[in-house]
Amino acid sequence: MRTIYMIKHVSLLVAGLLFLNYKGEAQILVGPVVGGQLNRMVFYNDQSKDLYKLKPLLNFHAGASISFRAQKRFFLNTSILYAQKGKLLESNYNSITRNDATFKYIDMPILYTMEFKAKMGRDKVYKWYFGVGPNISYWLGGKGVLVHEDLNENGVNPPNYDVHYKIVFNKDSAAVATNEMNVREPNRIQLGLNLSAGLIFEPFGNNKIMVNLRYAFGHSFLSRNGKGEFGLPGVLYYEDDLKVRSRELVLSLHYYIDLKTDQSKKGKSTVNIKSGRKRK
């Protein structure tokens, strides 16, 4: 019920913003977007902070973006992205324990931006902007590699003593297979806040090339109870602390195509007028 409640209210928010933009100048731009991000998970529990350190990871995203003009200098930008994020955990007390996880997401950043003009040299003009808005993410799944001191001591999978695992959701403990990490009570829909700034170039008429730098504050934990339960050989047992939030520095390159055609037809007559004397 909580997930349905969140989807309903986010959908109403997006629909309301799109309606406001439709009532404005109604310029619409669409196009592809690609880029990379540096993300780092942050522990909520102080005990986990003492036991482990979390390191940043470099990943990528790609998808499609759409931009609506609300007023002369104001735009609503949103994208649908396939994104990879990660969690790199290392022990503070030994050099063996390590968990390197890759998470797969569908991201929808929503940004309300304000644009400004600037000059480069005498005659070259570009724009810069800043923006703010929510970030909505859907957790698809993922995979990882766990290296642990207990695997080493028990001689599991030499010479690396590691377990390659797949992330699964909402399984019973008894049904978790070897080489799986089961996330109980996952937050598959995750919310956050975006702060953004960037540059805009318009080399081809009203089409745009946009360079976007975005910082995303993750608000939701990966799991409500914070547990990722591993299926390991024999009697070995390990749980990963998933009561973490993501912090992301995202760099994206957009190419926008202007779909508004009535602007290009302004001032042009579609009626052919012939000159000459009128015959009697």
Side-chain angles (χ1 to χ4, degrees), residues 90-259:
E90 293 182 352
S91 173
N92 288 327
Y93 294 96
N94 67 72
S95 59
I96 299 174
T97 300
R98 175 187 175 96
N99 186 15
D100 187 354
T102 299
F103 305 133
K104 300 176 182 179
Y105 280 89
I106 297 295
D107 277 356
M108 188 171 72
I110 302 170
L111 292 167
Y112 201 70
T113 63
M114 183 177 184
E115 296 184 358
F116 303 87
K117 284 187 177 181
K119 285 188 176 181
M120 183 185 299
R122 291 184 177 180
D123 55 356
K124 293 184 179 179
V125 177
Y126 68 95
K127 296 177 182 178
W128 64 276
Y129 68 92
F130 68 86
V132 64
N135 195 60
I136 306 165
S137 300
Y138 183 74
W139 190 8
L140 297 172
K143 60 182 180 179
V145 181
L146 173 67
V147 182
H148 197 272
E149 57 184 338
D150 288 344
L151 299 175
N152 191 355
E153 292 174 3
N154 288 271
V156 177
N157 296 340
N160 297 322
Y161 304 104
D162 59 10
V163 170
H164 292 250
Y165 62 88
K166 176 184 176 182
I167 296 172
V168 297
F169 300 109
N170 296 315
K171 275 193 170 185
D172 293 331
S173 297
V176 179
T178 303
N179 301 334
E180 286 184 342
M181 183 183 79
N182 180 42
V183 184
R184 294 171 288 179
E185 300 182 39
N187 267 330
R188 299 192 70 179
I189 295 179
Q190 300 165 19
L191 302 179
L193 175 67
N194 292 307
L195 298 177
S196 176
L199 300 173
I200 297 171
F201 304 94
E202 297 176 331
F204 312 114
N206 289 328
N207 295 349
K208 290 184 179 181
I209 295 174
M210 188 166 80
V211 180
N212 175 256
L213 184 64
R214 174 168 57 92
Y215 189 75
F217 301 83
H219 172 72
S220 305
F221 296 124
L222 294 190
S223 174
R224 297 184 186 92
N225 70 5
K227 300 297 183 183
E229 180 183 28
F230 280 81
L232 296 176
V235 296
L236 297 179
Y237 185 77
Y238 177 73
E239 283 186 337
D240 192 24
D241 186 358
L242 295 180
K243 204 164 190 178
V244 294
R245 297 185 175 106
S246 182
R247 301 288 185 265
E248 302 160 29
L249 186 64
V250 185
L251 182 64
S252 302
L253 179 64
H254 301 248
Y255 181 72
Y256 281 120
I257 300 170
D258 191 352
L259 296 184

Side-chain angles (χ1 to χ4, degrees), residues 5-157:
Y5 177 86
M6 289 168 58
I7 293 174
K8 178 181 176 182
H9 282 74
V10 168
S11 300
L12 288 174
L13 171 65
V14 175
L17 290 172
L18 293 181
F19 175 77
L20 290 175
N21 281 277
Y22 178 78
K23 298 295 285 184
E25 296 187 20
Q27 184 182 15
I28 302 174
L29 303 102
V30 299
V33 53
V34 295
Q37 67 256 9
L38 189 68
N39 89 279
R40 179 176 177 269
M41 296 294 175
V42 179
F43 280 124
Y44 175 78
N45 295 315
D46 290 334
Q47 184 179 3
S48 294
K49 294 177 184 178
D50 293 336
L51 292 173
Y52 306 105
K53 53 181 173 283
L54 293 171
K55 293 187 173 182
L57 286 171
L58 188 64
N59 275 294
F60 74 94
H61 61 270
S65 188
I66 186 167
S67 178
F68 299 87
R69 183 192 292 272
Q71 296 179 14
K72 186 175 180 181
R73 294 165 57 185
F74 295 91
F75 283 81
L76 176 68
N77 303 317
T78 186
S79 303
I80 301 295
L81 306 172
Y82 171 79
Q84 286 194 355
K85 308 173 189 182
K87 178 187 176 187
L88 178 55
L89 175 149
E90 293 182 352
S91 173
N92 288 327
Y93 294 96
N94 67 72
S95 59
I96 299 174
T97 300
R98 175 187 175 96
N99 186 15
D100 187 354
T102 299
F103 305 133
K104 300 176 182 179
Y105 280 89
I106 297 295
D107 277 356
M108 188 171 72
I110 302 170
L111 292 167
Y112 201 70
T113 63
M114 183 177 184
E115 296 184 358
F116 303 87
K117 284 187 177 181
K119 285 188 176 181
M120 183 185 299
R122 291 184 177 180
D123 55 356
K124 293 184 179 179
V125 177
Y126 68 95
K127 296 177 182 178
W128 64 276
Y129 68 92
F130 68 86
V132 64
N135 195 60
I136 306 165
S137 300
Y138 183 74
W139 190 8
L140 297 172
K143 60 182 180 179
V145 181
L146 173 67
V147 182
H148 197 272
E149 57 184 338
D150 288 344
L151 299 175
N152 191 355
E153 292 174 3
N154 288 271
V156 177
N157 296 340

